[in-house]
């Protein structure tokens, strides 16, 4: 399995609830190296650009409102098979459908307020990492 990078967000609901530390512990326990990490308040332009692929969908405005309601934690992660592994640790997008013990089952509320984000493919990971981090910051 190749060493791979992925991009993660601990979303505003999880940060506000004080769950960021527990989620970071899950990330490290799962064998990820944290290459870069930043607490950040997204602007609407940043959130709209980041989620541009969802523009036009019914939930887009709700998604942007939620992602800008409070600070998030942005992460660049690395390990073997990082993209699939982080998606496994997060669980299904809808916390109701997520496996027990996953981030979204433990800390998510519903499909919109679902505690965390992860890239879904190598091209998306490259785009998402570059949206928030310079290459020299990922160490
Ligand atoms: P995320 O992995 O960040 O990628 C896109 C996000 O859109 C997703 O998590 C959900 O939080 C959100 N989303 C997807 N589908 C819906 C939906 N039907 N209603 C509200 N939010 C959604």
């Amino acid at each position: 399995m190749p060493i791979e990078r992925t991009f993660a967000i601990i979303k505003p609901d999880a940060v506000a609830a004080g769950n960021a530390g527990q989620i970071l512990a899950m990330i490290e326990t799962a064998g990820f190296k944290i290459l870069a990490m930043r607490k950040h308040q997204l602007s609407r332009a940043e959130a709209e650009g980041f989620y541009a692929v969802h523009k036009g969908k019914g939930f887009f405005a709700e998604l942007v409102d939620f992602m800008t309601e409070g600070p998030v934690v942005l992460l660049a992660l690395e390990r073997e098979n990082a993209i699939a592994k982080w998606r496994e640790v997060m669980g299904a997008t809808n916390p109701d459908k997520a496996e027990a013990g996953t981030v979204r089952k433990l800390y998510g509320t519903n499909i919109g307020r679902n505690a965390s984000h992860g890239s879904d493919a190598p091209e998306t990971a490259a785009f998402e990492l570059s949206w928030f981090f310079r290459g020299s910051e990922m160490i």
Side-chain angles (χ1 to χ4, degrees):
M1 283 288 182
I3 295 288
E4 194 175 59
R5 290 180 178 185
T6 193
F7 177 75
I9 304 179
I10 302 176
K11 293 189 177 183
D13 55 339
V15 172
N19 293 322
Q22 301 288 351
I23 296 171
L24 289 169
M26 290 172 76
I27 287 170
E28 291 197 318
T29 300
F32 289 95
K33 205 189 277 187
I34 298 174
L35 299 182
M37 173 164 67
R38 184 163 79 245
K39 191 173 183 188
H40 181 63
Q41 169 74 54
L42 293 188
S43 67
R44 291 194 74 81
E46 278 175 325
E48 285 170 2
F50 180 77
Y51 280 121
V53 11
H54 296 297
K55 207 165 180 173
K57 295 186 185 162
F59 60 82
F60 185 70
E62 181 191 326
L63 176 60
V64 172
D65 286 347
F66 166 56
M67 291 301 291
T68 57
E69 76 178 26
V72 300
V73 177
L74 308 171
L75 293 150
L77 304 178
E78 186 176 83
R79 59 155 278 162
E80 279 183 8
N81 204 21
I83 294 169
K85 183 66 185 177
W86 172 232
R87 292 177 72 78
E88 183 188 313
V89 173
M90 285 195 299
T93 305
N94 186 343
D96 285 346
K97 300 195 172 134
E99 295 272 335
T102 59
V103 170
R104 284 163 166 166
K105 184 56 125 191
L106 287 166
Y107 303 117
T109 304
N110 55 47
I111 194 166
R113 305 178 71 83
N114 63 353
S116 60
H117 168 83
S119 311
D120 62 2
E123 307 73 44
T124 336
F127 165 75
E128 293 181 352
L129 287 165
S130 73
W131 192 251
F132 290 111
F133 294 115
R134 291 193 305 275
S136 61
E137 288 178 286
M138 294 183 270
I139 52 176

